[in-house]
Amino acid sequence: MITSSATEAFVSLSHDTSRAMIIRHGRQFRQGRHILSLTDDSPSELDVRLGASRSAGVDQDELSSVLETIASVCQEFCITFEHNNIQTDPSPLRLESIPGALGRVLLIDVSGLPDDVDVDDTELISQIKVYASEQIDNVLCSDEESKQPILLAFRHTHSNDNLEDVIAKEVADYGLRDAISESTVKMNSEIKFLPSKHVQIDGAFVETIDTPVSSQHFDTSSVIVFDNLVSTGLRKRLLNVVNGIPEEETDAWDEVDGPNPTRWERGSLTDIAGESVNDEPDGSCWGLGTDAIEDICFNYHPAIAEFEGTLSQLFSDFTISRLPEAVFGECISPLTANAPTHGDSFDYHIDADPLQVPPSPWADVYGRYPNRSQGKPRFISCLLYLNEVWEPSWGAPTQFLDPPTLEVVDIMPKSGRCVIMDQDISHTVVDPSSDAGKRPRFSLVWKLILHPKRLNQDMTDLSCGRSWIDSQLIGSARAT
């Protein structure tokens, strides 16, 4: 039962943790939903009850701890929580419809809510889910060996939704697997999909997931360069989009005097996982302002859709999605742009690592795992150099680091050049030389996820059956 005396506890638990912020922004912003408050215009008492009904992928010891945690949270909300008749299956679900899903889930039935209300859209269930999930995260990570997250899924008691349905709903609600634009035009020549350079770097032994006994395998990160993927016309249109100019406009911004200050802002580039918008960015690099970021991310631009269609053909063996907000929250945009100029300074960083994602809807569904793991979504970034002219003497390469050996690889800017890289690779921007004057080196970056299309799919081979050039092994990648 929810009584009026429980309202204060309800409010006190609505603190803005990272999980709460990710859930609120990832769900409400994406769908334009309004969370329904059941305490504003409702009777002072609501007969809402929760009951755990089914679980999968959770062993008995874990389940006991999880149920105790949920019961404690429900007690703070003055909610009855029953958990005496649970159907349990210690084996994780293997979902052909959602390859790569972790399959650890606890299904909780909700009674006492109107039938026409999505239980996940209520303030009450939203708060319980956030708070209980946070406490469960803490419990699962309290042991010496951290355990994978568990998805708490809520449904109406009389619902026929099964465990697969509620996982699919979570994926849909948070856009975890929303595909990018797909091209309807077949490329005339496969040569566009052949890289000019392929580098493997940062080799290490990592844990092999989903094996009956603990094992490891050797893993490397990749950098793949394409010089024929983007036509001159498409590159020009993308540069116009970045600069806020109509795509077909021929009078582009004169970059000799630097980026357009009405579109670009010093210090606005904050697209690194774990970096707050309040942190001081490296070198106060030029980045797109908030309105410009929202423009390229959420408004329709034919040039962006066309390039994403090209990517969907390049990686046709995978379902490609933009990095959803439900991974890191709103601080990491799926598209961004930068414009380094002479004198800027930068540090090495990684874009993201699926092994280190924070508590979030993404972690609940897919878990934490080494990037490139078999059958799991692979985090990649796509960088596109946009300047019409960039002289070699102007420098400004993207530099990739092999941490064990400190060897580096420089990928030089070239008009229309596309660089695909794993998001967990250490890299940095090198500022342009003085020869470039005030010219910025424009680039547009996509944060993407390659989803497997089938269970146990090999996620290391991105060639999709094409004959690519041999890769160049750098530093620790030569260990094998």
Side-chain angles (χ1 to χ4, degrees), residues 139-158:
V139 169
L140 295 176
C141 294
S142 61
D143 299 334
E144 291 184 3
E145 181 181 356
S146 295
K147 298 178 181 179
Q148 290 283 12
I150 297 171
L151 171 63
L152 296 186
F154 295 79
R155 68 173 186 180
H156 285 286
T157 299
H158 52 75

Side-chain angles (χ1 to χ4, degrees), residues 192-333:
K192 291 180 177 290
F193 299 136
L194 301 181
S196 57
K197 191 178 187 68
H198 183 189
V199 170
Q200 294 187 62
I201 194 171
D202 195 11
F205 283 94
V206 300
E207 179 186 1
T208 304
I209 64 172
D210 294 336
T211 55
V213 294
S214 178
S215 63
Q216 294 185 328
H217 65 276
F218 193 73
D219 172 70
T220 61
S221 298
S222 289
V223 180
I224 310 169
V225 181
F226 296 89
D227 286 326
N228 298 297
L229 198 61
V230 179
S231 68
T232 298
L234 178 55
R235 179 202 57 76
K236 289 180 178 179
R237 289 162 55 209
L238 287 168
L239 180 58
N240 281 353
V241 169
V242 167
N243 281 321
I245 299 172
E247 285 190 23
E248 304 302 333
E249 181 66 54
T250 57
D251 295 329
W253 171 261
D254 188 353
E255 60 195 46
V256 174
D257 292 325
N260 183 349
T262 65
R263 182 78 167 176
W264 298 80
E265 298 176 6
R266 276 285 187 187
S268 64
L269 182 62
T270 54
D271 65 334
I272 301 171
E275 182 178 77
S276 166
V277 292
N278 296 318
D279 294 338
E280 183 67 23
D282 293 336
S284 295
C285 174
W286 288 98
L288 290 179
T290 301
D291 290 344
I293 287 291
E294 292 185 358
D295 172 41
I296 65 172
C297 287
F298 303 114
N299 291 333
Y300 177 74
H301 296 281
I304 289 178
E306 181 178 336
F307 181 70
E308 290 184 346
T310 300
L311 289 176
S312 70
Q313 291 191 37
L314 174 62
F315 297 122
S316 56
D317 286 353
F318 309 93
T319 296
I320 311 175
S321 71
R322 295 181 182 180
L323 182 76
E325 196 169 314
V327 181
F328 295 109
E330 64 176 351
C331 62
I332 307 296
S333 60

Side-chain angles (χ1 to χ4, degrees), residues 37 103 173 269 297 310 337 368 374 377 390 410-411 452 460 473 480:
S37 173
D173 280 352
L269 182 62
C297 287
T310 300
R368 299 182 180 93
Q374 179 175 299
W390 193 264
D410 287 344
I411 302 298
T460 61
L473 304 181
T480 57

Side-chain angles (χ1 to χ4, degrees), residues 360-421:
S360 64
W362 172 272
D364 291 344
V365 171
Y366 290 103
R368 299 182 180 93
Y369 54 89
N371 207 13
R372 299 166 297 280
S373 290
Q374 179 175 299
K376 302 292 284 188
R378 179 171 175 172
F379 285 40
I380 66 168
S381 292
C382 172
L383 182 153
L384 192 60
Y385 297 114
L386 296 179
N387 295 77
E388 182 169 358
V389 175
W390 193 264
E391 300 293 343
S393 63
W394 296 347
T398 303
Q399 189 172 90
F400 297 90
L401 174 70
D402 182 67
T405 65
L406 300 183
E407 290 189 44
V408 299
V409 175
D410 287 344
I411 302 298
M412 298 301 298
K414 180 180 178 182
S415 184
R417 169 169 282 178
C418 176
V419 182
I420 302 293
M421 57 181 146

Side-chain angles (χ1 to χ4, degrees), residues 60-75:
Q60 192 58 50
D61 289 340
E62 288 178 308
L63 185 59
S64 297
S65 298
V66 168
L67 293 175
E68 288 178 8
T69 301
I70 298 174
S72 177
V73 171
C74 287
Q75 186 175 12

